[in-house]
Amino acid sequence: MFGYIVRRAISGVLVLIAIAFGVFILYFYGPSDPAQAYCPKNTCTPAQLELISRNLGLDKPVLVQYGDYMKGIVVGREIKTGKLTEPCGAPCLGISFKQDLEVRPYLMGRFPATLSVAVGGAVVFLLVGVSVGVTSARRRGSALDRGLVGFTMFTTAIPYYLVALLGYLILINQTGLFPGSGYFSPFTEGPIAWIKGMLLAWVILGFFYSTAYARYSRGSMIEALNEDYVRTAKAKGLKDRTVATRHAFRAAIVPIVTIFGIDFAGLLAGTIFTEYIFDIPGIGVAALQSVTNKDLPLISATVLIAAAFVVTANLLVDLAYAALDPRVRL
Amino acid sequence: MPSTDAEPYLRVEDLSVSFPTRDGVVRAVTGMTYQVALGKTLGIVGESGSGKSVSSLAVMGLHDMKRTQMEGSIRIEDTEVVGLPEDRMRRLRGNAAAMIFQDPLTALHPFYTIGAQIVEAYRVHNPDVSKREAKAKAVDMLERVGIPQPNRRVDDFPHQFSGGMRQRAMIAMSLVNNPKLLFADEPTTALDVTVQAQILDLLQELQRDFGSAIVIITHDLGVIAEMADEVLVMYAGRCVEYGATREVLTHPEMPYTWGLLNSVPELTGDPEEALLPIPGSPPSLLNPPNGCAFHPRCGYSHLVPADLCTRELPLLEPSPRGESHLKRCHLLDPENDMRTHEPVVDDDVLEQPDLVVADRVQAPDQQTLSTAGDSNG
């Protein structure tokens, strides 16, 4: 088990190194000159572009820059921007080109907002989605089941940003059923303000994801209910509810955990629409801005963070498998 | 009726089980009547889809009742089971009547230890027993069914057991509440041949100790010969022959039973000699043939005058061998006819393609109507 974790951690690190390299290659050999982005109205002379490049350190060979970047993550480095030299401690993710701030503290400052969205949304979609799916599976073929399946199909077909945008406009702006939205730290501004600001984002995000979870868990539960051991449980004289929960659901939960791990990693990497629409300053919006700004240190940092979450989630899912299913040995 | 000395513990009378499906009503069991006394074993034998499992699941109330129509009467001791409210049925299940399933690997929950599963079966009917006592009981039961080192193995998961041990554990679990009636649905089919005999011996030994009535469902005539006091042969949802095992196996009075016996290899027979399979395949229960359901495959229907076999369903009636040996056949003396005549098989039957599985419809709760599980982003 320990050896397994070590092996997986090593391969995870290799994946991240490769991904960072990919980001650098795309950035430098992509269709536009990075320096061009810092040139107002694209009216710079070649000499001015060269100056920009030198100031940002973009004139050095790509491999050297990549090496510097990776070294900064491991031991820290000093970054020269024009005449200034700024220290950047490990793990150094660089200094933003566009704004004069260090990337790591900047993203760490935005992470609680993203984490709030992810955790709250996940609580909603796990509770709603899984219970809808299980109910549906236990009454398979009934009017209730058909209604729920139809409804989830219908809502899945609507684009998420439309649901979120309409939800924001109708539930906050027009009817005022929900308090305004935004991120308030639960520690400095109090949990009430935090919940009030996040509530609609949780509901909408959770609602949207729960349609998918309703379908996963319905399918998984139907499969489990058809297992021989569920019939055995019934033959013991257990109550239907006990059979459904302790026997069928216990088995049905395993595939749901897999999907949840990957989805949750995705949420932690930033929810662009949710953060944008509900005015939540998280990682997703930062990632979006970094791309429009061609801000290499921020781009590679957000990509690496997302990749690290996915790698970690995969490992955790495998560990959860081993914990849930005694037949699995790592 | 086949005679039983003791008062029967289970009495099934005129039981019919049908499942309405999209394609029509599947009559899985029609007009089945049998009884078993304590300490006795009834064997129900038939091909896949003949209704043999359905009839026992019906006694246990294990079908999805919303999708199942049951008629007739099932009495366990003095309790009428047909129409019994689920809550009372539940108290009988695993308590007065228990069941052993075909494949112990799939029938045991892979995520719980053997001990936990036996404890659960015990405590559901004995809620006052503490977990510790229940576990001691589980260890006792495992020892009783011949699991070595039961106090250690009780904490193993099913996948850590061999096939034969799993079936032993399954038997321990079903006997934990000392049921008077035990259904064994193909208990040895999924096991190695070498283990099969051990499991049958174990069942017989336990029956002697517990005095239960056993209904064993199988397609294996060897199991019947070894275990059963009486045998009931099923074809297309109906009982076609019923009598004492020795009597039926040595003097079959129905061409189907005759065919089953001919398709069993004999140890003393000529190794070069080909087995005689029954031609064709079992009929669809959605759309059974007119008259005798077996007539399209029967080699002796030409001996019956006036196409009676294709027009009229024969009654289950006493055979020339006596009141206790019932047969469903238009032939007046089937055994004699089968011994003296060569079978004549219609060519159509041999050329008829095998029925697709869906035509031999099983109970709806075994079908997967899964529309879910598809992925999305």
Side-chain angles (χ1 to χ4, degrees):
Chain A
M1 173 101 150
F2 181 72
Y4 176 81
I5 296 174
V6 170
R7 280 200 305 280
R8 285 290 300 266
I10 291 171
S11 72
V13 169
L14 293 176
V15 166
L16 295 180
I17 290 172
I19 285 176
F21 187 69
V23 172
F24 268 72
I25 295 293
L26 281 175
Y27 185 79
F28 286 101
Y29 296 104
S32 69
D33 179 359
Q36 198 80 47
Y38 300 93
C39 183
K41 294 177 190 164
N42 292 343
T43 53
C44 299
T45 63
Q48 284 171 311
L49 282 177
E50 205 174 305
L51 186 66
I52 293 172
S53 285
R54 192 172 328 126
N55 279 344
L56 295 175
L58 293 170
D59 54 341
K60 286 190 249 174
V62 176
L63 279 179
V64 171
Q65 291 188 52
Y66 174 68
D68 283 348
Y69 184 75
M70 297 314 282
K71 182 186 150 222
I73 291 177
V74 181
V75 294
R77 61 176 166 146
E78 294 194 328
I79 298 174
K80 291 195 181 103
T81 49
K83 291 157 208 145
L84 295 170
T85 300
E86 294 181 45
C88 174
C92 169
L93 292 171
I95 289 171
S96 164
F97 288 168
K98 204 78 176 187
Q99 298 140 288
D100 182 23
L101 38 82
E102 212 186 304
V103 170
R104 182 170 47 91
Y106 170 67
L107 288 180
M108 277 170 65
R110 297 182 76 104
F111 185 64
T114 294
L115 183 67
S116 302
V117 174
V119 170
V123 168
V124 172
F125 71 67
L126 282 181
L127 285 179
V128 176
V130 174
S131 46
V132 164
V134 168
T135 309
S136 209
R138 289 188 61 194
R139 307 194 186 178
R140 178 159 54 108
S142 68
L144 177 73
D145 175 37
R146 271 179 239 165
L148 288 171
V149 169
F151 183 69
T152 52
M153 287 296 190
F154 174 74
T155 45
T156 315
I158 310 173
Y160 172 64
Y161 58 86
L162 192 64
V163 177
L165 210 52
L166 286 176
Y168 182 82
L169 287 176
I170 295 170
L171 296 176
I172 292 184
N173 269 15
Q174 286 182 7
T175 59
L177 280 174
F178 279 81
S181 71
Y183 176 72
F184 305 96
S185 164
F187 304 109
T188 56
E189 282 149 298
I192 305 285
W194 176 64
I195 290 172
K196 273 186 167 177
M198 302 300 297
L199 194 59
L200 190 62
W202 289 340
V203 169
I204 302 260
L205 181 78
F207 167 76
F208 196 79
Y209 269 80
S210 59
T211 60
Y213 277 79
R215 287 187 303 124
Y216 301 143
S217 43
R218 179 178 180 273
S220 184
M221 186 72 181
I222 284 175
E223 203 176 301
L225 283 169
N226 278 316
E227 292 284 354
D228 282 358
Y229 50 76
V230 168
R231 188 181 56 186
T232 309
K234 206 175 168 203
K236 285 180 185 176
L238 296 171
K239 286 182 183 144
D240 265 3
R241 169 178 288 270
T242 316
V243 173
T245 53
R246 207 188 298 168
H247 291 261
F249 185 63
R250 174 69 178 77
I253 211 167
V254 175
I256 300 174
V257 166
T258 314
I259 305 167
F260 175 72
I262 307 302
D263 276 353
F264 193 67
L267 290 178
L268 287 181
T271 47
I272 294 178
F273 287 128
T274 312
E275 292 175 14
Y276 213 85
I277 290 168
F278 296 100
D279 193 22
I280 296 162
I283 306 260
V285 172
L288 184 66
Q289 282 168 355
S290 71
V291 173
T292 41
N293 290 343
K294 299 202 174 68
D295 193 344
L296 178 64
L298 261 181
I299 295 176
S300 43
T302 47
V303 170
L304 275 184
I305 287 172
F309 281 136
V310 172
V311 166
T312 314
N314 270 318
L315 176 59
L316 289 179
V317 163
D318 284 355
L319 295 180
Y321 249 70
L324 286 171
D325 187 340
R327 290 169 300 181
V328 176
R329 304 187 103 199
L330 300 178
Chain B
M1 280 298 102
S3 63
T4 35
D5 311 326
E7 182 71 4
Y9 184 73
L10 169 69
R11 265 181 220 268
V12 174
E13 250 159 68
D14 203 21
L15 174 70
S16 295
V17 183
S18 52
F19 308 107
T21 67
R22 246 170 287 168
D23 304 320
V25 176
V26 176
R27 305 190 65 89
V29 174
T30 310
M32 194 177 179
T33 297
Y34 65 80
Q35 42 199 283
V36 200
L38 291 177
K40 295 287 178 188
T41 301
L42 170 72
I44 300 182
V45 65
E47 285 168 282
S48 309
S50 61
K52 54 191 197 300
S53 290
V54 171
S55 62
S56 60
L57 291 172
V59 177
M60 295 286 290
L62 285 179
H63 288 299
D64 182 350
M65 285 306 156
K66 277 175 243 145
R67 300 161 199 256
T68 311
Q69 285 171 4
M70 270 171 60
E71 285 156 50
S73 158
I74 301 169
R75 297 185 74 83
I76 298 178
E77 203 161 24
D78 295 317
T79 312
E80 174 59 55
V81 169
V82 176
L84 193 69
E86 168 61 22
D87 192 51
R88 291 195 52 204
M89 187 68 228
R90 192 174 67 69
R91 277 171 226 186
L92 287 178
R93 247 183 247 140
N95 198 8
M99 193 154 186
I100 300 167
F101 297 99
Q102 174 171 350
D103 186 349
L105 180 60
T106 57
L108 290 167
H109 202 299
F111 295 174
Y112 295 108
T113 61
I114 298 285
Q117 300 190 49
I118 299 178
V119 164
E120 184 182 42
Y122 188 49
R123 291 188 75 214
V124 63
H125 297 293
N126 302 280
D128 302 332
V129 175
S130 75
K131 281 191 180 162
R132 180 170 302 179
E133 285 170 81
K135 186 158 178 190
K137 173 84 176 173
V139 173
D140 278 356
M141 289 307 295
L142 288 179
E143 182 158 31
R144 190 72 201 71
V145 297
I147 303 274
Q149 295 181 283
N151 48 358
R152 200 168 60 79
R153 301 310 298 261
V154 73
D155 293 321
D156 277 359
F157 288 96
H159 70 272
Q160 293 164 305
F161 273 37
S162 69
M165 294 223 301
R166 275 196 285 265
Q167 194 60 293
R168 284 171 191 271
M170 186 81 215
I171 293 171
M173 189 167 88
S174 38
L175 294 182
V176 72
N177 290 309
N178 200 358
K180 295 265 182 57
L181 174 61
L182 183 66
F183 282 93
D185 188 352
E186 307 255 8
T188 56
T189 308
L191 302 178
D192 282 348
V193 180
T194 48
V195 182
Q196 290 185 358
Q198 295 172 16
I199 294 292
L200 294 179
D201 287 347
L202 174 67
L203 277 175
Q204 282 178 313
E205 188 195 323
L206 293 169
Q207 182 179 33
R208 274 195 300 277
D209 297 355
F210 287 77
S212 340
I214 294 184
V215 177
I216 188 162
I217 296 146
T218 181
H219 61 262
D220 187 339
L221 290 171
V223 172
I224 295 286
E226 159 104 19
M227 292 283 295
D229 299 302
E230 289 183 335
V231 59
L232 186 161
V233 183
M234 282 193 85
Y235 188 78
R238 281 194 165 86
C239 169
V240 295
E241 186 158 4
Y242 185 17
T245 304
R246 173 168 270 286
E247 165 71 26
V248 170
L249 295 189
T250 51
H251 300 285
E253 291 283 6
M254 158 78 197
Y256 177 62
T257 317
W258 183 256
L260 286 180
L261 288 165
N262 277 332
S263 50
V264 178
E266 284 173 56
L267 273 180
T268 54
D270 177 2
E272 300 295 315
E273 192 186 320
L275 291 175
L276 281 174
I278 303 174
S281 45
S284 155
L285 294 175
L286 256 181
N287 219 343
N290 286 331
C292 172
F294 187 59
H295 85 258
R297 302 169 74 189
C298 182
Y300 302 94
S301 57
H302 64 285
L303 300 175
V304 176
D307 288 343
L308 205 56
C309 294
T310 59
R311 285 188 289 108
E312 212 171 290
L313 177 72
L315 298 173
L316 187 66
E317 56 192 7
S319 72
R321 307 270 316 163
E323 285 290 311
S324 65
H325 186 159
L326 305 179
K327 57 130 175 139
R328 190 189 286 280
C329 184
H330 284 306
L331 291 170
L332 296 175
D333 189 357
E335 190 195 359
N336 188 33
D337 289 334
M338 292 184 292
R339 287 193 195 280
T340 52
H341 291 79
E342 281 298 307
V344 177
V345 178
D346 208 347
D347 287 346
D348 294 356
V349 178
L350 296 174
E351 285 164 16
Q352 161 199 339
D354 271 0
L355 290 169
V356 284
V357 178
D359 286 345
R360 308 186 201 162
V361 182
Q362 300 279 318
D365 59 353
Q366 292 170 0
Q367 297 175 344
T368 311
L369 300 168
S370 178
T371 51
D374 46 346
S375 60
N376 97 318

